[in-house]
Amino acid sequence: MISAAPAGPPHVDPDTQAESRADNPAVPIPPGPADPRATAGLCDRVRALLVSEGAAGVVVCDVSGVGDPRLGHVELLARLELAARRGGGRIRLRGPAPALVALLALVGLRFQVEGEVEEGEPAGGVQEAVETGDPAV
């Protein structure tokens, strides 16, 4: 069965200037303590998604179910980022808890987070202040 393309213009990722699809599969990071044995399988999955997605170069990792983050999760995410970089891409986190973001910052790792405004960029839908007497545009 062939499904029709979604209506409307495609979403373009401003970082990569490549079209991204809302239905891109995400790599789910399992809840609970990080399992070192699962790391190799997750790295293989990231590399496979980079090969199949091609131009986008971004693999989404769903970390919403991680729970209480530990250094094992930091190591897992660092290894996934390394695998993605070796494949010519990077990873983007979906749904990180504030504790995970703080732990990553504490060890010096920065990851792009879905829906996060780039540094120095105004948030979407925010207007700049208007001075009294400025002509309406």
Side-chain angles (χ1 to χ4, degrees):
M1 178 171 149
I2 299 174
S3 56
H11 173 72
V12 175
D13 184 359
D15 293 331
T16 61
Q17 296 298 314
E19 186 177 315
S20 63
R21 299 180 311 194
D23 62 339
N24 279 352
V27 176
I29 305 302
D35 181 12
R37 293 172 289 175
T39 301
L42 290 171
C43 288
D44 290 342
R45 172 118 190 239
V46 165
R47 284 189 287 272
L49 285 172
L50 280 171
V51 169
S52 68
E53 293 300 318
V58 177
V59 175
V60 176
C61 291
D62 187 358
V63 293
S64 59
V66 165
D68 187 29
R70 303 213 165 132
L71 288 176
H73 294 108
V74 172
E75 180 184 1
L76 172 64
L77 292 173
R79 288 180 183 273
L80 292 177
E81 177 71 7
L82 182 60
R85 295 272 174 147
R86 286 179 177 165
R90 64 176 192 266
I91 65 170
R92 180 180 298 155
L93 303 182
R94 175 182 294 162
L100 179 60
V101 174
L103 183 59
L104 289 169
L106 182 68
V107 297
L109 293 175
R110 290 189 45 103
F111 291 97
Q112 187 178 19
V113 177
E114 274 190 344
E116 184 179 73
V117 178
E118 289 291 324
E119 191 172 322
E121 296 288 324
V126 175
Q127 282 187 326
E128 293 183 19
V130 178
E131 296 291 327
T132 311
D134 282 348
V137 178

